[in-house]
Amino acid sequence: MAKDFEIPPLPKYIEIPSINEGAMKGEGPFKSSEEFQIPLGFPGEKVENWQDVAISKMGELKSKYRSVQVFLDVCVKCGACTDKCHYFLGSSDPKNMPVARQDLFRSVYRRHFTFAGKYFPKLVGAKDLDESMLDDWYNYFHQCSQCRRCSVFCPYGIDTAEISMAAREVLDAVGVGQKYCNQILGKAVTVGNNLGLPEPALRDTLIDLEEEIEEETGVAVKYPLDVKGSEILLITPSADFFAEPHIDGLIGYGKVFHQDGVSWTLSSYASEGANFGMFIGSYDVMRKAALRIRKAALDLEVSRVIVGECGHAWRVAYSFWNTLSGVGAGGSDEYSLKLQNQLDSRYPQPQHIIEYTYDLIKRDKLKFDKSENDDRTVTFHDSCNVARATNMGGIPNGQFILPREVIKAVCNNYIDMERETIKESTFCCGGGGGLLTDDLMEIRIKGAMPRMQALKEVEKTDGVDTLAAICAICKSQFSKVLPKFDFDPYMIVSVHQLVSDAIVLDKSHTIESGVEENIEEATQ
Amino acid sequence: MSVLSLVITALFYISFIIFVIGMTKKILQYWATPAPLKIPVAPTPLTRTGVVLRIIREVTLFESLFKSSKWTWIFGWLFHFGLFLVLIRHIRYFWPGEVPEIFLLVQPFKYGAFAMLIGLLGLMGRRIFVDRVRYISAPSDYIMLALLLIIGVSGAVMTFTSNHTDVVMVKEFASGLITFNWSELPTELQLLVHLLLVIILIAIFPISKLLHVPGVFFSPTRNQVDDARKKRHISSWALDQEKNNEVRLDQIMGEDE
């Protein structure tokens, strides 16, 4: 996998490349093995009659998902999406054009399920599902981050993410899964988080974090774990517990909760916000992961569920939790009713941590020293899943407004990137959708080019030196790719890190108020 | 009646029946296939009214295409709007007897045919000359445009050049199809080409990409209200699975630790 490749240059304006066939041809990411396939209910290796299995799975999926059925039929090949994918712009491989990526799947659909494709395959571009087609599926459906930018620009709203999820589901059904996603999912549905972090390790980490914060600020900000009867259950990506810069965001959440004086808790049973079940397109696996959160919320008897900074976690939480597990309003099944009975109906359930902090800011509950962030000029990267698949605050375009308002409340210098590269048109970081693995580094770097280009422009024109994001994958991806494009890898921060740096902590909330001043003096 | 007129009459009915059955099947299929998850794409309407307005903008103004590519939008919109005017003007042929006043209002818009042809030529040019669009084009994509172009040109030839046909006879023929009062058709080549290709177009509608016409209304990314937290959205199969298969998930993926 360590093949040499060129880092794409960053032009002043993004030019649509001429197509370069086969530029990203390859074997795709590492394949999953029996060890990771079986626990998810997938065959351990490529099944004998894989063609039949694949075709019948396609048939099943198109009868279960209107999106798949309609999107496979209605594309007119107008070409509107062809220059919209960051992976195409960065790699120039035509199979990374959204329509061409879909056509890998669509051509097989036509061959097996449509009149024209059965009798006039050449005429309508219908193709058999042979070995090389399956290889192309595996390779190119793992060069899609399911960011849905193409769907914004499609006259019929065709969403390549839906097709790529379906294709990955078919691949899993024939026993050709991706190692990265399936290994992680195995841990998430048994241990409770993607890192496979058991309760004692998590507890130790949180204690260390508390000590660290108290040392630095003199204030005893707490990170409660499994505290029954807390008001808030925080569900956050497990990367927040360990990775940089994620952990500084977690510090920020803790400080905000501390300042609000609210009781809150993490759960060791449901210690993962990320839900990779979405990436592999499996409703069952996604639901299985989501049910842990329902159970944790019920067991811990919380009245609010809040989700930390994670893009697709927020998509699953905001758009799918109510469907999958009844966390939300309006359901009438047993669990929905139980949850509605327990959860505080004055708040939307679930809520995003940005919504929570924004609400406190609006109600003047938080004090900030904005000058703490004066050494920064900040821009905000709209994470694809948050931007295109969710809302915040219940107001139109709230998912674009609220994070910016929070940043502006804690920073004096804020600049947006080029309009065509933000909000609903945002460019993916390049690492989403199950691609955040080293064996896909080439496509990750090439796919980051459009975002890096927009960032380079605001760096030149406005001196932007800080890139804030609300997604664990974006943060990890940027840390890796920023230096490849001559940026400081530490310029990527959590939005709640900015909050954390500017927030004025109220010392009266601390338990040993006498000690704190000494510590503060000592640390200064 | 001549054999030719009989054959064309028969073909009209056959293609119409294929169209009705095929489209009904497809629309029922789209209707019956559940959308198990909320997947509207930004900028998402938060209300039902917002969704209706979004779809109206999408089908009348091609809003998303406008955001995407101005050239494709201009050609695509000219073609569709031109076709729309031309189709309305064709109602007078099929209307038995005196045509209501309202349809006469569009008679001056016969130049819609040119909008349609310019649009089609633009789309064809894009398909041939833009490498990305050429890459994704199958033979059927060119043939579809050629079909529409020839239909448009043959129609325009009859309207705008001296190669007119006997419109009174055409009206007799076309309205006769509606009233089952079949009659003779003029035999100019341009008319026969025009009609035959229209017959083909009608017949292939339900088995081709022309399905974008009903499909756009069923696109979940466009027709869903963004209210996932307020209402529980669940499909029938997911609900069944929830009721019957609760244990199955545990069996497959293991009990929780």
Side-chain angles (χ1 to χ4, degrees), chain A residues 19 39 41 64 66 73 76-77 80 82 84 123 148 151 154 156-157 269 284 287-288 318 322-323 329 333 350 355, chain B residues 26 30-31 33-34 39 68 127 131-132 140 209 219 221-222 226 228-229 232-233 237 241-242 248 250 254 256:
Chain A
I19 61 172
K64 283 167 95 174
R66 183 184 290 167
D73 274 340
V76 300
K77 315 292 172 82
T82 53
K84 300 299 182 282
L123 186 72
R148 315 178 84 207
S151 178
C154 174
Y156 315 108
Y269 173 77
D284 281 351
R287 177 151 189 270
K288 174 94 177 163
Y318 174 88
N322 202 359
T323 301
D333 62 298
E355 293 183 296
Chain B
K26 279 320 268 191
Y30 296 158
W31 191 280
T33 308
I39 58 166
S68 176
R127 206 168 277 295
D131 66 345
R132 302 187 310 282
S140 56
K209 66 178 182 181
S219 175
T221 60
R222 293 290 183 269
D226 183 7
R229 285 192 291 192
R232 185 160 198 240
H233 171 93
W237 63 259
Q241 207 157 296
E242 219 167 84
R248 192 178 59 101
D250 288 339
D256 300 328

Short mmCIF file of all heavy atoms in Angstrom, two decimals, chain A residues 19 39 41 64 66 73 76-77 80 82 84 123 148 151 154 156-157 269 284 287-288 318 322-323 329 333 350 355, chain B residues 26 30-31 33-34 39 68 127 131-132 140 209 219 221-222 226 228-229 232-233 237 241-242 248 250 254 256:
data_model
loop_
_atom_site.label_atom_id
_atom_site.label_comp_id
_atom_site.label_asym_id
_atom_site.label_seq_id
_atom_site.Cartn_x
_atom_site.Cartn_y
_atom_site.Cartn_z
N ILE A 19 -10.05 13.78 -17.28
CA ILE A 19 -10.12 12.45 -16.67
C ILE A 19 -8.87 11.64 -16.99
O ILE A 19 -8.28 11.77 -18.06
CB ILE A 19 -11.40 11.67 -17.11
CG1 ILE A 19 -11.42 11.45 -18.61
CG2 ILE A 19 -12.64 12.37 -16.64
CD1 ILE A 19 -12.55 10.52 -19.04
N PRO A 39 -18.53 -12.14 13.70
CA PRO A 39 -19.30 -11.50 14.78
C PRO A 39 -20.38 -10.55 14.28
O PRO A 39 -21.33 -10.24 15.00
CB PRO A 39 -18.24 -10.72 15.56
CG PRO A 39 -16.94 -11.34 15.22
CD PRO A 39 -17.09 -11.87 13.82
N GLY A 41 -22.17 -11.19 11.61
CA GLY A 41 -23.14 -11.99 10.86
C GLY A 41 -22.83 -12.07 9.38
O GLY A 41 -23.70 -12.40 8.57
N LYS A 64 -36.04 -2.87 -0.17
CA LYS A 64 -36.14 -2.34 1.19
C LYS A 64 -35.84 -0.84 1.27
O LYS A 64 -36.18 -0.19 2.25
CB LYS A 64 -35.17 -3.08 2.12
CG LYS A 64 -35.67 -4.47 2.53
CD LYS A 64 -34.56 -5.27 3.16
CE LYS A 64 -34.58 -5.17 4.68
NZ LYS A 64 -33.58 -6.07 5.30
N ARG A 66 -36.19 2.68 -0.77
CA ARG A 66 -36.68 3.45 -1.91
C ARG A 66 -35.55 4.23 -2.56
O ARG A 66 -35.47 4.33 -3.79
CB ARG A 66 -37.78 4.40 -1.46
CG ARG A 66 -38.38 5.18 -2.61
CD ARG A 66 -39.40 6.19 -2.13
NE ARG A 66 -40.60 5.54 -1.63
CZ ARG A 66 -41.53 6.17 -0.92
NH1 ARG A 66 -41.40 7.44 -0.64
NH2 ARG A 66 -42.60 5.52 -0.49
N ASP A 73 -32.75 3.93 -11.00
CA ASP A 73 -33.55 4.13 -12.21
C ASP A 73 -33.39 5.50 -12.85
O ASP A 73 -33.38 5.62 -14.06
CB ASP A 73 -35.05 3.95 -11.88
CG ASP A 73 -35.49 2.48 -11.94
OD1 ASP A 73 -34.79 1.69 -12.60
OD2 ASP A 73 -36.53 2.16 -11.34
N VAL A 76 -30.08 10.46 -15.33
CA VAL A 76 -30.11 10.72 -16.78
C VAL A 76 -28.71 10.97 -17.35
O VAL A 76 -28.58 11.34 -18.50
CB VAL A 76 -31.04 11.90 -17.13
CG1 VAL A 76 -32.45 11.62 -16.69
CG2 VAL A 76 -30.53 13.20 -16.53
N LYS A 77 -27.69 10.81 -16.51
CA LYS A 77 -26.30 11.03 -16.94
C LYS A 77 -26.11 12.45 -17.48
O LYS A 77 -25.53 12.66 -18.52
CB LYS A 77 -25.89 10.01 -18.03
CG LYS A 77 -26.28 8.58 -17.76
CD LYS A 77 -25.50 7.99 -16.60
CE LYS A 77 -26.02 6.64 -16.20
NZ LYS A 77 -25.50 5.57 -17.02
N ALA A 80 -24.04 16.63 -14.02
CA ALA A 80 -23.99 17.72 -13.03
C ALA A 80 -23.08 17.38 -11.85
O ALA A 80 -22.44 18.26 -11.28
CB ALA A 80 -25.39 18.04 -12.53
N THR A 82 -20.43 15.42 -11.93
CA THR A 82 -19.12 14.87 -12.29
C THR A 82 -17.95 15.64 -11.70
O THR A 82 -16.87 15.10 -11.51
CB THR A 82 -18.92 14.78 -13.82
OG1 THR A 82 -19.19 16.07 -14.38
CG2 THR A 82 -19.87 13.76 -14.44
N LYS A 84 -18.12 17.31 -8.72
CA LYS A 84 -18.46 17.69 -7.35
C LYS A 84 -17.76 16.87 -6.27
O LYS A 84 -17.75 17.26 -5.12
CB LYS A 84 -19.99 17.57 -7.14
CG LYS A 84 -20.79 18.48 -8.08
CD LYS A 84 -20.46 19.94 -7.87
CE LYS A 84 -21.28 20.87 -8.74
NZ LYS A 84 -20.82 20.93 -10.13
N LEU A 123 -26.29 -1.56 -25.36
CA LEU A 123 -26.97 -0.30 -25.66
C LEU A 123 -27.09 0.60 -24.43
O LEU A 123 -26.90 1.81 -24.51
CB LEU A 123 -28.36 -0.62 -26.21
CG LEU A 123 -29.20 0.53 -26.73
CD1 LEU A 123 -28.63 1.03 -28.05
CD2 LEU A 123 -30.65 0.10 -26.91
N ARG A 148 -22.11 13.04 0.62
CA ARG A 148 -23.37 13.50 0.05
C ARG A 148 -23.29 14.85 -0.65
O ARG A 148 -24.30 15.48 -0.91
CB ARG A 148 -24.47 13.54 1.12
CG ARG A 148 -24.48 12.31 2.00
CD ARG A 148 -25.51 12.39 3.07
NE ARG A 148 -26.81 11.97 2.58
CZ ARG A 148 -27.96 12.39 3.09
NH1 ARG A 148 -27.98 13.26 4.06
NH2 ARG A 148 -29.10 11.97 2.60
N SER A 151 -25.13 14.78 -3.93
CA SER A 151 -26.60 14.80 -3.84
C SER A 151 -27.16 16.21 -3.82
O SER A 151 -28.25 16.46 -4.32
CB SER A 151 -27.04 14.04 -2.58
OG SER A 151 -28.43 14.07 -2.45
N CYS A 154 -27.40 17.25 -7.48
CA CYS A 154 -28.11 16.39 -8.45
C CYS A 154 -29.53 16.88 -8.64
O CYS A 154 -30.24 17.12 -7.67
CB CYS A 154 -28.14 14.95 -7.96
SG CYS A 154 -29.16 13.89 -9.01
N TYR A 156 -32.04 15.30 -9.25
CA TYR A 156 -32.99 14.35 -8.65
C TYR A 156 -32.59 13.98 -7.23
O TYR A 156 -33.15 13.06 -6.64
CB TYR A 156 -33.12 13.09 -9.51
CG TYR A 156 -33.23 13.47 -10.95
CD1 TYR A 156 -32.19 13.25 -11.83
CD2 TYR A 156 -34.35 14.18 -11.39
CE1 TYR A 156 -32.27 13.70 -13.13
CE2 TYR A 156 -34.42 14.63 -12.68
CZ TYR A 156 -33.38 14.40 -13.55
OH TYR A 156 -33.45 14.86 -14.83
N GLY A 157 -31.58 14.66 -6.72
CA GLY A 157 -31.14 14.37 -5.35
C GLY A 157 -30.49 13.01 -5.18
O GLY A 157 -30.44 12.48 -4.08
N TYR A 269 -20.88 1.57 29.32
CA TYR A 269 -21.56 0.58 28.47
C TYR A 269 -21.76 1.14 27.07
O TYR A 269 -21.58 0.44 26.07
CB TYR A 269 -22.90 0.19 29.10
CG TYR A 269 -23.75 -0.69 28.23
CD1 TYR A 269 -23.45 -2.05 28.11
CD2 TYR A 269 -24.84 -0.17 27.53
CE1 TYR A 269 -24.23 -2.86 27.31
CE2 TYR A 269 -25.62 -0.98 26.73
CZ TYR A 269 -25.31 -2.32 26.61
OH TYR A 269 -26.08 -3.11 25.81
N ASP A 284 -29.05 -3.41 10.54
CA ASP A 284 -28.98 -4.24 11.74
C ASP A 284 -27.81 -3.85 12.64
O ASP A 284 -27.97 -3.71 13.85
CB ASP A 284 -28.82 -5.72 11.35
CG ASP A 284 -30.15 -6.32 10.93
OD1 ASP A 284 -31.18 -5.65 11.11
OD2 ASP A 284 -30.14 -7.45 10.42
N ARG A 287 -28.29 -0.49 14.12
CA ARG A 287 -29.29 -0.51 15.18
C ARG A 287 -28.72 -1.14 16.45
O ARG A 287 -28.91 -0.63 17.55
CB ARG A 287 -30.52 -1.30 14.71
CG ARG A 287 -31.58 -1.44 15.77
CD ARG A 287 -32.96 -1.56 15.18
NE ARG A 287 -33.92 -1.46 16.27
CZ ARG A 287 -34.36 -2.51 16.96
NH1 ARG A 287 -33.96 -3.73 16.66
NH2 ARG A 287 -35.21 -2.33 17.96
N LYS A 288 -27.99 -2.22 16.25
CA LYS A 288 -27.38 -2.90 17.40
C LYS A 288 -26.50 -1.92 18.18
O LYS A 288 -26.55 -1.89 19.42
CB LYS A 288 -26.55 -4.09 16.87
CG LYS A 288 -25.74 -4.80 17.92
CD LYS A 288 -26.47 -5.99 18.50
CE LYS A 288 -25.56 -6.71 19.49
NZ LYS A 288 -26.29 -7.60 20.38
N TYR A 318 -29.15 12.29 15.30
CA TYR A 318 -30.20 13.24 14.94
C TYR A 318 -31.23 12.60 14.00
O TYR A 318 -32.43 12.71 14.22
CB TYR A 318 -29.58 14.47 14.26
CG TYR A 318 -30.61 15.43 13.72
CD1 TYR A 318 -31.13 16.43 14.53
CD2 TYR A 318 -31.09 15.32 12.41
CE1 TYR A 318 -32.10 17.30 14.05
CE2 TYR A 318 -32.05 16.18 11.93
CZ TYR A 318 -32.56 17.17 12.75
OH TYR A 318 -33.52 18.02 12.27
N ASN A 322 -34.15 8.06 16.56
CA ASN A 322 -35.59 7.95 16.82
C ASN A 322 -36.16 6.73 16.09
O ASN A 322 -36.98 5.99 16.63
CB ASN A 322 -36.28 9.24 16.38
CG ASN A 322 -37.62 9.45 17.07
OD1 ASN A 322 -38.05 8.63 17.88
ND2 ASN A 322 -38.29 10.54 16.76
N THR A 323 -35.67 6.52 14.87
CA THR A 323 -36.09 5.37 14.08
C THR A 323 -35.55 4.06 14.68
O THR A 323 -36.28 3.09 14.85
CB THR A 323 -35.57 5.50 12.64
OG1 THR A 323 -36.09 6.70 12.07
CG2 THR A 323 -35.97 4.31 11.79
N ALA A 329 -38.92 12.04 19.88
CA ALA A 329 -40.33 12.20 20.24
C ALA A 329 -41.23 11.49 19.23
O ALA A 329 -40.81 11.15 18.14
CB ALA A 329 -40.68 13.68 20.30
N ASP A 333 -44.08 2.86 20.42
CA ASP A 333 -43.75 1.52 20.87
C ASP A 333 -43.30 1.57 22.33
O ASP A 333 -43.11 2.64 22.91
CB ASP A 333 -42.65 0.93 19.98
CG ASP A 333 -41.39 1.74 20.06
OD1 ASP A 333 -41.44 2.93 19.67
OD2 ASP A 333 -40.37 1.23 20.53
N PRO A 350 -32.18 13.51 20.74
CA PRO A 350 -31.00 13.96 21.47
C PRO A 350 -30.61 15.39 21.07
O PRO A 350 -31.13 15.91 20.09
CB PRO A 350 -29.94 12.99 20.97
CG PRO A 350 -30.35 12.69 19.56
CD PRO A 350 -31.84 12.72 19.54
N GLU A 355 -25.54 22.67 20.50
CA GLU A 355 -26.86 23.24 20.83
C GLU A 355 -26.91 23.59 22.31
O GLU A 355 -27.46 24.61 22.71
CB GLU A 355 -27.98 22.23 20.51
CG GLU A 355 -28.16 21.93 19.03
CD GLU A 355 -29.33 20.98 18.78
OE1 GLU A 355 -29.26 19.82 19.24
OE2 GLU A 355 -30.32 21.40 18.15
N LYS B 26 -44.09 0.98 -12.30
CA LYS B 26 -42.94 1.67 -11.70
C LYS B 26 -43.38 2.59 -10.56
O LYS B 26 -42.78 2.61 -9.50
CB LYS B 26 -42.19 2.49 -12.77
CG LYS B 26 -41.24 1.72 -13.65
CD LYS B 26 -40.41 0.66 -12.98
CE LYS B 26 -39.07 1.06 -12.48
NZ LYS B 26 -38.21 -0.07 -12.07
N TYR B 30 -42.23 2.39 -6.71
CA TYR B 30 -41.61 3.48 -5.94
C TYR B 30 -42.44 3.77 -4.70
O TYR B 30 -41.92 4.04 -3.62
CB TYR B 30 -41.47 4.76 -6.77
CG TYR B 30 -40.55 4.64 -7.96
CD1 TYR B 30 -40.66 5.52 -9.05
CD2 TYR B 30 -39.57 3.66 -8.02
CE1 TYR B 30 -39.82 5.41 -10.14
CE2 TYR B 30 -38.73 3.55 -9.12
CZ TYR B 30 -38.87 4.43 -10.18
OH TYR B 30 -38.03 4.32 -11.26
N TRP B 31 -43.74 3.74 -4.90
CA TRP B 31 -44.65 4.04 -3.80
C TRP B 31 -44.52 3.00 -2.69
O TRP B 31 -44.45 3.31 -1.51
CB TRP B 31 -46.08 4.08 -4.34
CG TRP B 31 -47.06 4.63 -3.36
CD1 TRP B 31 -47.64 3.99 -2.31
CD2 TRP B 31 -47.55 5.97 -3.33
NE1 TRP B 31 -48.46 4.85 -1.63
CE2 TRP B 31 -48.43 6.07 -2.24
CE3 TRP B 31 -47.34 7.11 -4.14
CZ2 TRP B 31 -49.10 7.26 -1.92
CZ3 TRP B 31 -48.00 8.27 -3.83
CH2 TRP B 31 -48.87 8.34 -2.72
N THR B 33 -42.08 0.85 -2.10
CA THR B 33 -40.77 0.61 -1.49
C THR B 33 -40.56 1.60 -0.35
O THR B 33 -40.62 2.81 -0.57
CB THR B 33 -39.64 0.79 -2.54
OG1 THR B 33 -39.95 -0.01 -3.66
CG2 THR B 33 -38.30 0.35 -1.96
N PRO B 34 -40.34 1.10 0.86
CA PRO B 34 -40.24 2.03 1.98
C PRO B 34 -38.92 2.79 1.98
O PRO B 34 -37.92 2.32 1.44
CB PRO B 34 -40.32 1.11 3.21
CG PRO B 34 -40.01 -0.25 2.73
CD PRO B 34 -40.19 -0.30 1.26
N ILE B 39 -33.43 10.73 5.29
CA ILE B 39 -32.19 11.11 4.60
C ILE B 39 -32.32 12.39 3.77
O ILE B 39 -31.73 12.49 2.70
CB ILE B 39 -31.66 9.96 3.71
CG1 ILE B 39 -32.71 9.54 2.66
CG2 ILE B 39 -31.26 8.75 4.53
CD1 ILE B 39 -32.13 8.67 1.54
N SER B 68 -25.52 23.60 -9.76
CA SER B 68 -24.47 22.68 -10.14
C SER B 68 -23.69 23.11 -11.39
O SER B 68 -22.47 23.17 -11.38
CB SER B 68 -25.09 21.32 -10.39
OG SER B 68 -24.14 20.43 -10.84
N ARG B 127 -22.48 16.29 -24.16
CA ARG B 127 -22.23 14.85 -24.07
C ARG B 127 -21.05 14.43 -24.95
O ARG B 127 -20.28 13.54 -24.60
CB ARG B 127 -23.50 14.10 -24.47
CG ARG B 127 -23.61 12.73 -23.85
CD ARG B 127 -24.97 12.09 -24.00
NE ARG B 127 -25.98 12.47 -23.04
CZ ARG B 127 -25.92 12.21 -21.73
NH1 ARG B 127 -24.89 11.57 -21.22
NH2 ARG B 127 -26.89 12.59 -20.93
N ASP B 131 -15.22 15.75 -21.63
CA ASP B 131 -14.70 14.38 -21.45
C ASP B 131 -15.40 13.63 -20.32
O ASP B 131 -15.62 12.43 -20.41
CB ASP B 131 -13.17 14.39 -21.26
CG ASP B 131 -12.72 15.08 -19.97
OD1 ASP B 131 -13.55 15.80 -19.35
OD2 ASP B 131 -11.56 14.90 -19.57
N ARG B 132 -15.76 14.35 -19.25
CA ARG B 132 -16.39 13.67 -18.12
C ARG B 132 -17.77 13.13 -18.51
O ARG B 132 -18.16 12.03 -18.13
CB ARG B 132 -16.56 14.63 -16.93
CG ARG B 132 -15.27 15.25 -16.45
CD ARG B 132 -15.49 16.04 -15.17
NE ARG B 132 -16.59 16.99 -15.23
CZ ARG B 132 -16.55 18.18 -15.82
NH1 ARG B 132 -15.45 18.57 -16.44
NH2 ARG B 132 -17.60 18.98 -15.82
N SER B 140 -27.28 4.45 -25.45
CA SER B 140 -28.68 4.84 -25.27
C SER B 140 -28.82 6.32 -24.92
O SER B 140 -29.83 6.95 -25.25
CB SER B 140 -29.33 3.99 -24.18
OG SER B 140 -28.61 4.09 -22.98
N LYS B 209 -34.27 5.88 -18.87
CA LYS B 209 -33.98 6.93 -17.90
C LYS B 209 -35.07 8.00 -17.87
O LYS B 209 -35.03 8.89 -17.02
CB LYS B 209 -32.63 7.55 -18.20
CG LYS B 209 -32.56 8.31 -19.52
CD LYS B 209 -31.17 8.92 -19.66
CE LYS B 209 -31.06 9.72 -20.94
NZ LYS B 209 -29.71 10.30 -21.10
N SER B 219 -37.84 10.96 -4.72
CA SER B 219 -36.47 11.00 -4.21
C SER B 219 -36.47 11.37 -2.72
O SER B 219 -36.83 12.48 -2.35
CB SER B 219 -35.68 12.02 -5.01
OG SER B 219 -34.40 12.16 -4.46
N THR B 221 -34.19 12.16 -0.69
CA THR B 221 -33.35 13.28 -0.26
C THR B 221 -34.03 14.62 -0.53
O THR B 221 -33.64 15.64 0.00
CB THR B 221 -31.98 13.28 -0.99
OG1 THR B 221 -32.22 13.39 -2.40
CG2 THR B 221 -31.20 12.03 -0.70
N ARG B 222 -35.07 14.60 -1.37
CA ARG B 222 -35.77 15.83 -1.72
C ARG B 222 -37.17 15.92 -1.11
O ARG B 222 -37.68 17.01 -0.91
CB ARG B 222 -35.90 15.95 -3.25
CG ARG B 222 -34.58 16.14 -3.96
CD ARG B 222 -33.98 17.51 -3.68
NE ARG B 222 -32.75 17.72 -4.42
CZ ARG B 222 -31.53 17.43 -3.97
NH1 ARG B 222 -31.38 16.92 -2.76
NH2 ARG B 222 -30.46 17.65 -4.70
N ASP B 226 -37.46 17.43 7.33
CA ASP B 226 -36.38 17.27 8.30
C ASP B 226 -36.95 17.42 9.72
O ASP B 226 -36.87 18.48 10.32
CB ASP B 226 -35.32 18.34 8.01
CG ASP B 226 -34.12 18.21 8.93
OD1 ASP B 226 -34.04 17.23 9.68
OD2 ASP B 226 -33.26 19.11 8.90
N ALA B 228 -36.72 14.55 12.13
CA ALA B 228 -36.45 13.22 12.69
C ALA B 228 -36.57 13.17 14.21
O ALA B 228 -36.95 12.15 14.77
CB ALA B 228 -35.07 12.74 12.26
N ARG B 229 -36.25 14.27 14.88
CA ARG B 229 -36.31 14.24 16.34
C ARG B 229 -37.75 14.38 16.85
O ARG B 229 -38.05 14.03 17.98
CB ARG B 229 -35.46 15.38 16.94
CG ARG B 229 -33.97 15.11 16.87
CD ARG B 229 -33.18 16.09 17.70
NE ARG B 229 -33.18 17.45 17.17
CZ ARG B 229 -32.38 18.42 17.61
NH1 ARG B 229 -31.53 18.18 18.59
NH2 ARG B 229 -32.42 19.62 17.08
N ARG B 232 -41.33 9.85 15.01
CA ARG B 232 -40.63 8.59 14.77
C ARG B 232 -40.97 8.11 13.37
O ARG B 232 -42.12 7.89 13.04
CB ARG B 232 -41.01 7.54 15.80
CG ARG B 232 -40.20 6.28 15.64
CD ARG B 232 -40.18 5.43 16.89
NE ARG B 232 -39.07 4.48 16.82
CZ ARG B 232 -39.23 3.16 16.86
NH1 ARG B 232 -40.41 2.64 17.01
NH2 ARG B 232 -38.17 2.37 16.78
N HIS B 233 -39.92 7.98 12.56
CA HIS B 233 -40.10 7.56 11.17
C HIS B 233 -39.64 6.11 11.10
O HIS B 233 -38.48 5.81 11.34
CB HIS B 233 -39.21 8.47 10.31
CG HIS B 233 -39.10 8.05 8.88
ND1 HIS B 233 -39.93 8.55 7.91
CD2 HIS B 233 -38.27 7.19 8.25
CE1 HIS B 233 -39.61 8.01 6.74
NE2 HIS B 233 -38.61 7.18 6.92
N TRP B 237 -40.92 -2.87 7.29
CA TRP B 237 -40.02 -4.03 7.50
C TRP B 237 -39.17 -3.86 8.75
O TRP B 237 -38.88 -4.82 9.46
CB TRP B 237 -39.17 -4.35 6.27
CG TRP B 237 -38.17 -3.31 5.79
CD1 TRP B 237 -38.35 -2.46 4.74
CD2 TRP B 237 -36.85 -3.04 6.29
NE1 TRP B 237 -37.24 -1.66 4.57
CE2 TRP B 237 -36.30 -2.00 5.51
CE3 TRP B 237 -36.07 -3.56 7.33
CZ2 TRP B 237 -35.01 -1.48 5.71
CZ3 TRP B 237 -34.79 -3.04 7.54
CH2 TRP B 237 -34.27 -2.01 6.74
N GLN B 241 -39.17 -6.34 11.93
CA GLN B 241 -37.89 -6.84 12.42
C GLN B 241 -37.77 -6.56 13.91
O GLN B 241 -37.28 -7.38 14.67
CB GLN B 241 -36.79 -6.10 11.66
CG GLN B 241 -35.51 -6.84 11.54
CD GLN B 241 -34.73 -6.32 10.35
OE1 GLN B 241 -35.16 -6.44 9.20
NE2 GLN B 241 -33.60 -5.71 10.62
N GLU B 242 -38.23 -5.37 14.30
CA GLU B 242 -38.14 -4.97 15.69
C GLU B 242 -38.98 -5.88 16.57
O GLU B 242 -38.58 -6.29 17.64
CB GLU B 242 -38.65 -3.54 15.80
CG GLU B 242 -37.88 -2.68 16.74
CD GLU B 242 -38.23 -1.23 16.56
OE1 GLU B 242 -39.25 -0.80 17.14
OE2 GLU B 242 -37.52 -0.53 15.83
N ARG B 248 -32.77 -12.00 17.41
CA ARG B 248 -31.89 -12.38 16.31
C ARG B 248 -30.59 -11.57 16.32
O ARG B 248 -29.50 -12.10 16.10
CB ARG B 248 -32.61 -12.18 14.99
CG ARG B 248 -31.93 -12.81 13.80
CD ARG B 248 -32.75 -12.58 12.55
NE ARG B 248 -32.95 -11.16 12.32
CZ ARG B 248 -32.23 -10.46 11.43
NH1 ARG B 248 -31.33 -11.04 10.70
NH2 ARG B 248 -32.44 -9.17 11.27
N ASP B 250 -29.02 -10.36 18.81
CA ASP B 250 -28.14 -10.89 19.83
C ASP B 250 -27.51 -12.19 19.38
O ASP B 250 -26.33 -12.44 19.61
CB ASP B 250 -28.91 -11.12 21.14
CG ASP B 250 -29.27 -9.82 21.81
OD1 ASP B 250 -28.61 -8.81 21.50
OD2 ASP B 250 -30.20 -9.80 22.63
N GLY B 254 -23.87 -11.51 19.05
CA GLY B 254 -23.42 -11.79 20.40
C GLY B 254 -24.15 -10.94 21.42
O GLY B 254 -24.52 -9.81 21.17
N ASP B 256 -24.55 -8.67 24.70
CA ASP B 256 -23.71 -7.60 25.22
C ASP B 256 -22.88 -8.11 26.38
O ASP B 256 -23.31 -8.97 27.12
CB ASP B 256 -24.58 -6.45 25.74
CG ASP B 256 -25.43 -5.90 24.64
OD1 ASP B 256 -24.97 -5.93 23.49
OD2 ASP B 256 -26.55 -5.46 24.93
#
